[in-house]
Short mmCIF file of all heavy atoms in Angstrom, two decimals:
data_model
loop_
_atom_site.label_atom_id
_atom_site.label_comp_id
_atom_site.label_asym_id
_atom_site.label_seq_id
_atom_site.Cartn_x
_atom_site.Cartn_y
_atom_site.Cartn_z
N ALA A 4 8.89 9.07 8.21
CA ALA A 4 9.10 9.99 7.07
C ALA A 4 7.87 10.89 6.92
O ALA A 4 6.75 10.49 7.23
CB ALA A 4 9.30 9.19 5.79
N THR A 5 8.16 12.10 6.42
CA THR A 5 7.08 13.00 6.08
C THR A 5 7.32 13.43 4.63
O THR A 5 8.40 13.84 4.27
CB THR A 5 7.06 14.27 6.98
OG1 THR A 5 6.93 13.81 8.34
CG2 THR A 5 5.94 15.21 6.64
N VAL A 6 6.28 13.34 3.79
CA VAL A 6 6.34 13.73 2.41
C VAL A 6 5.24 14.69 2.11
O VAL A 6 4.08 14.45 2.49
CB VAL A 6 6.27 12.51 1.46
CG1 VAL A 6 6.04 12.90 0.03
CG2 VAL A 6 7.51 11.64 1.58
N THR A 7 5.57 15.79 1.46
CA THR A 7 4.53 16.68 0.92
C THR A 7 4.70 16.71 -0.59
O THR A 7 5.84 16.70 -1.10
CB THR A 7 4.58 18.10 1.51
OG1 THR A 7 5.87 18.63 1.27
CG2 THR A 7 4.31 18.10 3.00
N ARG A 8 3.61 16.76 -1.29
CA ARG A 8 3.65 16.70 -2.74
C ARG A 8 2.50 17.54 -3.26
O ARG A 8 1.34 17.27 -2.98
CB ARG A 8 3.51 15.22 -3.20
CG ARG A 8 3.65 15.05 -4.72
CD ARG A 8 3.53 13.57 -5.08
NE ARG A 8 3.86 13.31 -6.47
CZ ARG A 8 3.04 13.51 -7.49
NH1 ARG A 8 1.80 13.95 -7.26
NH2 ARG A 8 3.46 13.25 -8.71
N LYS A 9 2.83 18.55 -4.03
CA LYS A 9 1.78 19.44 -4.57
C LYS A 9 1.91 19.58 -6.05
O LYS A 9 3.00 19.84 -6.57
CB LYS A 9 1.98 20.83 -3.89
CG LYS A 9 0.85 21.80 -4.12
CD LYS A 9 1.03 23.03 -3.21
CE LYS A 9 0.22 24.27 -3.56
NZ LYS A 9 -1.12 24.12 -4.02
N THR A 10 0.84 19.34 -6.76
CA THR A 10 0.77 19.56 -8.18
C THR A 10 -0.49 20.37 -8.49
O THR A 10 -1.22 20.78 -7.56
CB THR A 10 0.69 18.21 -8.97
OG1 THR A 10 -0.58 17.65 -8.74
CG2 THR A 10 1.80 17.29 -8.55
N GLU A 12 -3.01 19.17 -9.60
CA GLU A 12 -4.13 18.21 -9.44
C GLU A 12 -4.40 17.84 -7.96
O GLU A 12 -5.53 17.62 -7.59
CB GLU A 12 -3.89 16.96 -10.26
CG GLU A 12 -3.85 17.24 -11.79
CD GLU A 12 -3.40 16.09 -12.62
OE1 GLU A 12 -2.87 15.12 -12.08
OE2 GLU A 12 -3.63 16.13 -13.84
N THR A 13 -3.30 17.76 -7.18
CA THR A 13 -3.45 17.33 -5.78
C THR A 13 -2.46 18.03 -4.89
O THR A 13 -1.38 18.43 -5.34
CB THR A 13 -3.21 15.80 -5.62
OG1 THR A 13 -1.88 15.48 -6.13
CG2 THR A 13 -4.23 14.98 -6.33
N ASP A 14 -2.84 18.13 -3.63
CA ASP A 14 -1.96 18.71 -2.58
C ASP A 14 -2.00 17.74 -1.41
O ASP A 14 -3.04 17.55 -0.78
CB ASP A 14 -2.49 20.09 -2.18
CG ASP A 14 -1.60 20.81 -1.21
OD1 ASP A 14 -0.57 20.20 -0.81
OD2 ASP A 14 -1.87 21.96 -0.85
N ILE A 15 -0.84 17.04 -1.20
CA ILE A 15 -0.82 15.88 -0.34
C ILE A 15 0.20 16.03 0.75
O ILE A 15 1.34 16.52 0.52
CB ILE A 15 -0.50 14.62 -1.17
CG1 ILE A 15 -1.64 14.35 -2.18
CG2 ILE A 15 -0.29 13.38 -0.26
CD1 ILE A 15 -1.33 13.25 -3.16
N SER A 16 -0.12 15.57 1.95
CA SER A 16 0.92 15.35 2.96
C SER A 16 0.72 13.91 3.52
O SER A 16 -0.42 13.47 3.76
CB SER A 16 0.85 16.38 4.09
OG SER A 16 -0.26 16.21 4.90
N VAL A 17 1.87 13.25 3.69
CA VAL A 17 1.86 11.90 4.21
C VAL A 17 2.89 11.84 5.34
O VAL A 17 4.04 12.29 5.17
CB VAL A 17 2.28 10.86 3.12
CG1 VAL A 17 2.56 9.51 3.70
CG2 VAL A 17 1.20 10.75 2.04
N LYS A 18 2.48 11.27 6.45
CA LYS A 18 3.41 11.04 7.58
C LYS A 18 3.26 9.60 7.99
O LYS A 18 2.14 9.16 8.30
CB LYS A 18 3.05 12.00 8.73
CG LYS A 18 4.03 12.02 9.87
CD LYS A 18 3.64 13.11 10.86
CE LYS A 18 4.70 13.30 11.92
NZ LYS A 18 4.75 12.12 12.84
N ILE A 19 4.38 8.87 8.01
CA ILE A 19 4.34 7.49 8.47
C ILE A 19 5.44 7.19 9.47
O ILE A 19 6.50 7.81 9.47
CB ILE A 19 4.44 6.49 7.26
CG1 ILE A 19 5.80 6.67 6.53
CG2 ILE A 19 3.29 6.61 6.32
CD1 ILE A 19 6.10 5.54 5.55
N SER A 26 -1.82 3.11 14.16
CA SER A 26 -2.76 4.19 14.32
C SER A 26 -2.88 4.94 13.02
O SER A 26 -1.94 4.98 12.20
CB SER A 26 -2.36 5.12 15.45
OG SER A 26 -1.16 5.76 15.11
N TYR A 27 -4.01 5.58 12.79
CA TYR A 27 -4.25 6.22 11.49
C TYR A 27 -5.19 7.40 11.56
O TYR A 27 -6.02 7.48 12.46
CB TYR A 27 -4.82 5.19 10.46
CG TYR A 27 -6.01 4.44 10.98
CD1 TYR A 27 -7.28 5.01 10.92
CD2 TYR A 27 -5.88 3.18 11.52
CE1 TYR A 27 -8.37 4.36 11.42
CE2 TYR A 27 -6.99 2.50 12.03
CZ TYR A 27 -8.23 3.06 11.97
OH TYR A 27 -9.30 2.41 12.45
N ASP A 28 -4.98 8.33 10.64
CA ASP A 28 -5.86 9.49 10.48
C ASP A 28 -5.74 9.93 9.05
O ASP A 28 -4.87 10.70 8.67
CB ASP A 28 -5.37 10.60 11.44
CG ASP A 28 -6.21 11.88 11.30
OD1 ASP A 28 -7.27 11.80 10.61
OD2 ASP A 28 -5.81 12.90 11.83
N ASN A 29 -6.58 9.31 8.21
CA ASN A 29 -6.48 9.48 6.77
C ASN A 29 -7.67 10.19 6.17
O ASN A 29 -8.81 9.70 6.33
CB ASN A 29 -6.29 8.09 6.11
CG ASN A 29 -5.03 7.38 6.60
OD1 ASN A 29 -3.99 7.97 6.69
ND2 ASN A 29 -5.19 6.12 6.89
N GLN A 30 -7.48 11.30 5.55
CA GLN A 30 -8.56 12.09 4.99
C GLN A 30 -8.20 12.61 3.60
O GLN A 30 -7.41 13.47 3.43
CB GLN A 30 -8.86 13.31 5.90
CG GLN A 30 -9.35 12.93 7.30
CD GLN A 30 -9.52 14.11 8.22
OE1 GLN A 30 -9.86 15.19 7.77
NE2 GLN A 30 -9.24 13.94 9.47
N THR A 31 -8.80 11.92 2.61
CA THR A 31 -8.48 12.24 1.21
C THR A 31 -9.69 12.82 0.48
O THR A 31 -9.59 13.16 -0.69
CB THR A 31 -8.03 10.97 0.45
OG1 THR A 31 -9.15 10.08 0.34
CG2 THR A 31 -6.85 10.30 1.11
N GLY A 32 -10.85 12.84 1.17
CA GLY A 32 -12.04 13.31 0.51
C GLY A 32 -12.77 12.16 -0.28
O GLY A 32 -13.83 12.38 -0.85
N VAL A 33 -12.14 10.95 -0.32
CA VAL A 33 -12.72 9.81 -0.97
C VAL A 33 -12.95 8.75 0.13
O VAL A 33 -12.03 8.11 0.57
CB VAL A 33 -11.80 9.27 -2.07
CG1 VAL A 33 -12.46 8.05 -2.79
CG2 VAL A 33 -11.47 10.35 -3.08
N PHE A 36 -11.68 5.11 -0.19
CA PHE A 36 -10.21 5.12 -0.24
C PHE A 36 -9.66 5.32 1.21
O PHE A 36 -8.71 4.68 1.60
CB PHE A 36 -9.73 6.17 -1.17
CG PHE A 36 -8.24 6.18 -1.41
CD1 PHE A 36 -7.53 4.98 -1.61
CD2 PHE A 36 -7.53 7.38 -1.47
CE1 PHE A 36 -6.15 5.01 -1.84
CE2 PHE A 36 -6.16 7.39 -1.72
CZ PHE A 36 -5.48 6.22 -1.88
N ASP A 37 -10.24 6.21 1.95
CA ASP A 37 -9.82 6.40 3.35
C ASP A 37 -9.98 5.11 4.14
O ASP A 37 -9.11 4.72 4.89
CB ASP A 37 -10.71 7.48 4.06
CG ASP A 37 -10.42 8.93 3.53
OD1 ASP A 37 -9.43 9.05 2.84
OD2 ASP A 37 -11.26 9.76 3.86
N LEU A 40 -7.08 2.92 3.16
CA LEU A 40 -5.85 3.40 3.77
C LEU A 40 -5.78 3.08 5.27
O LEU A 40 -4.73 2.74 5.81
CB LEU A 40 -5.67 4.91 3.55
CG LEU A 40 -5.46 5.33 2.07
CD1 LEU A 40 -5.58 6.82 1.95
CD2 LEU A 40 -4.11 4.86 1.54
N ASP A 41 -6.93 3.19 5.91
CA ASP A 41 -7.02 2.82 7.34
C ASP A 41 -6.67 1.36 7.54
O ASP A 41 -5.96 0.98 8.49
CB ASP A 41 -8.43 3.07 7.86
CG ASP A 41 -8.82 4.57 7.89
OD1 ASP A 41 -7.92 5.41 7.68
OD2 ASP A 41 -9.99 4.86 8.15
N ASP A 50 2.11 3.51 11.53
CA ASP A 50 1.29 4.71 11.80
C ASP A 50 1.20 5.57 10.56
O ASP A 50 2.20 5.76 9.87
CB ASP A 50 1.87 5.53 12.96
CG ASP A 50 1.82 4.78 14.28
OD1 ASP A 50 1.07 3.77 14.39
OD2 ASP A 50 2.55 5.20 15.22
N MET A 51 0.01 6.11 10.27
CA MET A 51 -0.21 6.76 8.98
C MET A 51 -1.13 7.98 9.14
O MET A 51 -2.23 7.84 9.64
CB MET A 51 -0.86 5.76 8.03
CG MET A 51 -0.52 5.85 6.58
SD MET A 51 -1.25 4.44 5.72
CE MET A 51 0.08 3.23 5.88
N THR A 52 -0.65 9.14 8.75
CA THR A 52 -1.49 10.32 8.71
C THR A 52 -1.41 10.89 7.33
O THR A 52 -0.34 11.29 6.84
CB THR A 52 -1.05 11.42 9.73
OG1 THR A 52 -1.04 10.87 11.06
CG2 THR A 52 -1.97 12.61 9.69
N ILE A 53 -2.58 10.90 6.64
CA ILE A 53 -2.57 11.35 5.22
C ILE A 53 -3.64 12.39 5.04
O ILE A 53 -4.79 12.25 5.51
CB ILE A 53 -2.84 10.16 4.28
CG1 ILE A 53 -1.68 9.10 4.41
CG2 ILE A 53 -2.97 10.58 2.80
CD1 ILE A 53 -1.95 7.83 3.64
N ARG A 54 -3.27 13.46 4.35
CA ARG A 54 -4.24 14.49 3.93
C ARG A 54 -4.06 14.69 2.45
O ARG A 54 -2.94 14.76 1.91
CB ARG A 54 -3.93 15.82 4.62
CG ARG A 54 -4.19 15.87 6.13
CD ARG A 54 -5.69 15.83 6.40
NE ARG A 54 -5.93 15.87 7.85
CZ ARG A 54 -5.89 14.79 8.63
NH1 ARG A 54 -5.63 13.60 8.14
NH2 ARG A 54 -6.16 14.94 9.95
N CYS A 55 -5.18 14.77 1.72
CA CYS A 55 -5.12 15.06 0.32
C CYS A 55 -6.25 16.00 -0.04
O CYS A 55 -7.41 15.75 0.24
CB CYS A 55 -5.17 13.81 -0.52
SG CYS A 55 -5.16 14.21 -2.32
N ALA A 56 -5.93 17.13 -0.68
CA ALA A 56 -6.92 18.00 -1.30
C ALA A 56 -6.76 17.83 -2.82
O ALA A 56 -5.78 18.34 -3.37
CB ALA A 56 -6.73 19.43 -0.89
N GLY A 57 -7.65 17.07 -3.43
CA GLY A 57 -7.48 16.76 -4.83
C GLY A 57 -8.58 17.27 -5.69
O GLY A 57 -9.61 17.77 -5.16
N ASP A 58 -8.41 17.10 -6.99
CA ASP A 58 -9.38 17.62 -7.96
C ASP A 58 -10.56 16.61 -8.12
O ASP A 58 -10.78 16.09 -9.23
CB ASP A 58 -8.73 17.94 -9.30
CG ASP A 58 -7.94 16.76 -9.85
OD1 ASP A 58 -7.93 15.69 -9.21
OD2 ASP A 58 -7.36 16.90 -10.91
N LEU A 59 -11.30 16.44 -7.03
CA LEU A 59 -12.40 15.45 -7.04
C LEU A 59 -13.59 15.90 -7.92
O LEU A 59 -14.46 15.05 -8.23
CB LEU A 59 -12.89 15.22 -5.58
CG LEU A 59 -11.82 14.66 -4.62
CD1 LEU A 59 -12.39 14.53 -3.23
CD2 LEU A 59 -11.27 13.33 -5.09
N HIS A 65 -6.79 11.16 -9.78
CA HIS A 65 -5.54 11.84 -9.39
C HIS A 65 -5.26 11.71 -7.88
O HIS A 65 -4.14 11.54 -7.48
CB HIS A 65 -5.57 13.33 -9.79
CG HIS A 65 -5.79 13.52 -11.24
ND1 HIS A 65 -6.62 14.52 -11.75
CD2 HIS A 65 -5.32 12.87 -12.33
CE1 HIS A 65 -6.62 14.45 -13.08
NE2 HIS A 65 -5.82 13.44 -13.45
N THR A 66 -6.37 11.77 -7.12
CA THR A 66 -6.20 11.67 -5.65
C THR A 66 -5.64 10.32 -5.27
O THR A 66 -4.70 10.23 -4.51
CB THR A 66 -7.59 11.91 -4.99
OG1 THR A 66 -7.95 13.28 -5.17
CG2 THR A 66 -7.57 11.61 -3.50
N VAL A 67 -6.21 9.25 -5.79
CA VAL A 67 -5.82 7.91 -5.43
C VAL A 67 -4.41 7.63 -5.92
O VAL A 67 -3.52 7.12 -5.17
CB VAL A 67 -6.82 6.86 -6.00
CG1 VAL A 67 -6.30 5.47 -5.78
CG2 VAL A 67 -8.16 7.04 -5.35
N GLU A 68 -4.12 7.96 -7.17
CA GLU A 68 -2.79 7.69 -7.73
C GLU A 68 -1.70 8.49 -7.02
O GLU A 68 -0.65 7.94 -6.63
CB GLU A 68 -2.80 8.07 -9.22
CG GLU A 68 -1.45 7.76 -9.90
CD GLU A 68 -1.51 8.08 -11.38
OE1 GLU A 68 -2.42 8.80 -11.83
OE2 GLU A 68 -0.62 7.56 -12.10
N ASP A 69 -2.00 9.78 -6.76
CA ASP A 69 -0.98 10.65 -6.18
C ASP A 69 -0.71 10.29 -4.70
O ASP A 69 0.43 10.44 -4.22
CB ASP A 69 -1.32 12.10 -6.36
CG ASP A 69 -1.27 12.54 -7.82
OD1 ASP A 69 -0.94 11.71 -8.66
OD2 ASP A 69 -1.58 13.72 -8.08
N VAL A 70 -1.75 9.88 -3.97
CA VAL A 70 -1.50 9.38 -2.60
C VAL A 70 -0.63 8.12 -2.69
O VAL A 70 0.26 7.96 -1.82
CB VAL A 70 -2.83 9.11 -1.86
CG1 VAL A 70 -2.60 8.31 -0.59
CG2 VAL A 70 -3.53 10.42 -1.56
N GLY A 71 -0.84 7.29 -3.65
CA GLY A 71 -0.01 6.10 -3.84
C GLY A 71 1.46 6.49 -4.08
O GLY A 71 2.40 5.88 -3.51
N ILE A 72 1.67 7.49 -4.88
CA ILE A 72 3.03 8.02 -5.16
C ILE A 72 3.66 8.56 -3.88
O ILE A 72 4.76 8.13 -3.49
CB ILE A 72 2.96 9.17 -6.22
CG1 ILE A 72 2.56 8.58 -7.58
CG2 ILE A 72 4.33 9.88 -6.29
CD1 ILE A 72 2.31 9.67 -8.62
N ALA A 73 2.93 9.40 -3.16
CA ALA A 73 3.50 10.03 -1.94
C ALA A 73 3.73 8.98 -0.86
O ALA A 73 4.74 9.10 -0.15
CB ALA A 73 2.55 11.15 -1.43
N LEU A 74 2.85 8.01 -0.70
CA LEU A 74 3.03 6.98 0.30
C LEU A 74 4.23 6.09 -0.03
O LEU A 74 5.00 5.70 0.82
CB LEU A 74 1.75 6.15 0.42
CG LEU A 74 1.57 5.23 1.60
CD1 LEU A 74 1.69 5.97 2.92
CD2 LEU A 74 0.27 4.48 1.54
N ALA A 77 7.29 8.03 0.84
CA ALA A 77 7.48 8.04 2.23
C ALA A 77 8.07 6.75 2.74
O ALA A 77 8.97 6.71 3.60
CB ALA A 77 6.15 8.33 2.98
#
Side-chain angles (χ1 to χ4, degrees):
T5 302
V6 167
T7 56
R8 185 179 189 278
K9 189 171 166 38
T10 70
E12 297 171 345
T13 58
D14 186 355
I15 296 171
S16 72
V17 169
K18 187 172 187 292
I19 60 168
S26 66
Y27 51 82
D28 177 10
N29 301 316
Q30 297 175 32
T31 66
V33 181
F36 186 43
D37 291 348
L40 293 170
D41 293 350
D50 294 343
M51 213 173 272
T52 302
I53 298 174
R54 292 289 182 276
C55 177
D58 54 1
L59 300 178
H65 301 140
T66 292
V67 172
E68 182 177 18
D69 292 1
V70 166
I72 291 171
L74 193 59

